[in-house]
Amino acid sequence: MKKLLAAAMAVCMMSGALFAQEKVYLWPDKKGPGSEKVKVTQEITERSKIPNHQNRIVSGVTEPYIEVFKPAQDVANTKKSILVIPGGAYARVVIDTEGYDYVKGYTDAGYTVFVLTYRTPNDGHKHADLVPLQDAQRAMRVIRANADKFGVAAFGVGVMGSSAGGHVAASLMTRYKEETYKALDSIDKDAKGEWVSARPAFQILVYPVITMQDNGTHAGSRKALLGEKPSQKEKDAASCEKLVKGGESPAFILCAIDDKSVNPYANAIAYWKAMADNGVKAELHIFPESGHGFGVLNAYGTAAKWQQMSIDWMKTYLK
């Protein structure tokens, strides 16, 4: 009850409607590669139990898109931006709690925010295990191609992901060079025929899914992404802690030690250790409580300050 009241009070403090300035589909024909024959229909389902607060999930995505949220005119624009990737166990997109709820804190601090609604692998897409990463790579390239229009620095775009969205974000960071789809246009390849980089400028990971190994994986996310019985090769290829090579962008990682859904030792902490072992600047915050899926409105104790901490970190370490 105390958590619900705190969340309701936070909603009141964040009063005012939130509207994207623009919705941009990622792919030329709207449907992503390998989704042309998928017949599912996109649906939005409300799950909120808190008055006056939405907690919607999006499912059945075949036409992925980003929504653009710019800082107010009276806020100093940093020119940096954040691609926000919500979680949802690779079965849905938790668009409010791990997407829109993050927007105001960052836009108030001068960052442009792009919230990604991406395809999940459970809808019969071709190369299903790649579709979330395809959408994340393409989103980075779409933002860079339109940087002047969006008012952002083309190579100042970072990535942020929560839960399974954290796995998408960490996969983007560690696999940004991987050719997950055929180039379609000048957004993908430049005039010299070179791939436009999908490398994030920084990474913010909130109680992320990281590993696909038997000991510590989030079973639901792995099953949705890799199937019932993935091979060891498939598990290794999708375990982000094993893919860190050094040279990745700075990371801000957070989790709660009482997370009963995503084991923090095998996921957030393991990814931080891989970063540290490879000389990557990474900051890890392990909060004593808040569990899993808390976003900003359901975080409590010291975890309630995590978003401001991430803003302070960006001001300190991102020049």
Side-chain angles (χ1 to χ4, degrees), residues 211-241:
T211 193
M212 292 291 148
Q213 301 300 314
D214 294 342
N215 184 21
T217 191
H218 180 251
S221 294
R222 187 175 80 173
K223 181 180 178 180
L225 184 68
L226 300 180
E228 191 75 51
K229 295 182 179 180
S231 67
Q232 188 59 49
K233 182 178 180 180
E234 289 171 325
K235 289 182 283 189
D236 289 348
S239 292
C240 299
E241 81 282 8

Side-chain angles (χ1 to χ4, degrees), residues 19-40:
F19 296 104
Q21 282 84 8
E22 191 173 359
K23 179 178 180 178
V24 181
Y25 288 95
L26 300 181
W27 304 98
D29 296 319
K30 290 191 176 180
K31 279 199 172 185
S35 300
E36 295 83 359
K37 297 181 180 180
V38 176
K39 300 299 183 183
V40 297

Side-chain angles (χ1 to χ4, degrees), residues 154 175 233 248:
R175 300 169 66 184
K233 182 178 180 180
E248 286 81 7

Side-chain angles (χ1 to χ4, degrees), residues 179-191:
E179 295 185 19
T180 63
Y181 61 92
K182 292 181 180 180
L184 299 175
D185 49 30
S186 60
I187 289 174
D188 291 325
K189 286 191 174 181
D190 61 22

Side-chain angles (χ1 to χ4, degrees), residues 175-292:
R175 300 169 66 184
Y176 68 89
K177 289 183 178 180
E178 188 173 323
E179 295 185 19
T180 63
Y181 61 92
K182 292 181 180 180
L184 299 175
D185 49 30
S186 60
I187 289 174
D188 291 325
K189 286 191 174 181
D190 61 22
K192 296 180 180 180
E194 300 289 334
W195 279 93
V196 174
S197 177
R199 182 181 187 271
F202 57 91
Q203 46 187 327
I204 300 173
L205 304 179
V206 185
Y207 42 80
V209 174
I210 292 293
T211 193
M212 292 291 148
Q213 301 300 314
D214 294 342
N215 184 21
T217 191
H218 180 251
S221 294
R222 187 175 80 173
K223 181 180 178 180
L225 184 68
L226 300 180
E228 191 75 51
K229 295 182 179 180
S231 67
Q232 188 59 49
K233 182 178 180 180
E234 289 171 325
K235 289 182 283 189
D236 289 348
S239 292
C240 299
E241 81 282 8
K242 291 182 172 291
L243 305 178
V244 177
K245 298 179 177 64
E248 286 81 7
S249 299
F252 182 93
I253 309 164
L254 67 112
C255 62
I257 204 65
D258 65 345
D259 189 334
K260 302 302 183 187
S261 296
V262 176
N263 182 331
Y265 295 97
N267 291 273
I269 298 172
Y271 191 66
W272 170 83
K273 185 177 185 303
M275 290 278 164
D277 288 348
N278 284 276
V280 180
K281 191 175 292 182
E283 185 166 314
L284 172 64
H285 294 271
I286 306 173
F287 297 104
E289 54 185 356
S290 279
H292 187 78

Side-chain angles (χ1 to χ4, degrees), residues 25-27 29-43 58-65 117-120 123-125 131 135:
Y25 288 95
L26 300 181
W27 304 98
D29 296 319
K30 290 191 176 180
K31 279 199 172 185
S35 300
E36 295 83 359
K37 297 181 180 180
V38 176
K39 300 299 183 183
V40 297
T41 300
Q42 182 170 311
E43 295 182 351
V58 185
S59 58
V61 178
T62 60
E63 300 179 354
Y65 54 87
T117 297
Y118 58 97
R119 294 171 294 161
T120 52
D123 288 322
H125 309 281
V131 293
D135 291 345

Side-chain angles (χ1 to χ4, degrees), residues 33-87:
S35 300
E36 295 83 359
K37 297 181 180 180
V38 176
K39 300 299 183 183
V40 297
T41 300
Q42 182 170 311
E43 295 182 351
I44 300 176
T45 305
E46 176 63 81
R47 306 188 301 176
S48 179
K49 297 179 181 180
I50 303 172
N52 302 316
H53 176 248
Q54 292 178 307
N55 180 12
R56 294 164 295 177
I57 58 171
V58 185
S59 58
V61 178
T62 60
E63 300 179 354
Y65 54 87
I66 52 173
E67 292 173 277
V68 187
F69 300 86
K70 298 179 181 180
Q73 291 184 352
D74 60 348
V75 173
N77 193 330
T78 69
K79 298 297 182 181
K80 292 185 175 65
S81 58
I82 306 171
L83 174 64
V84 172
I85 306 178

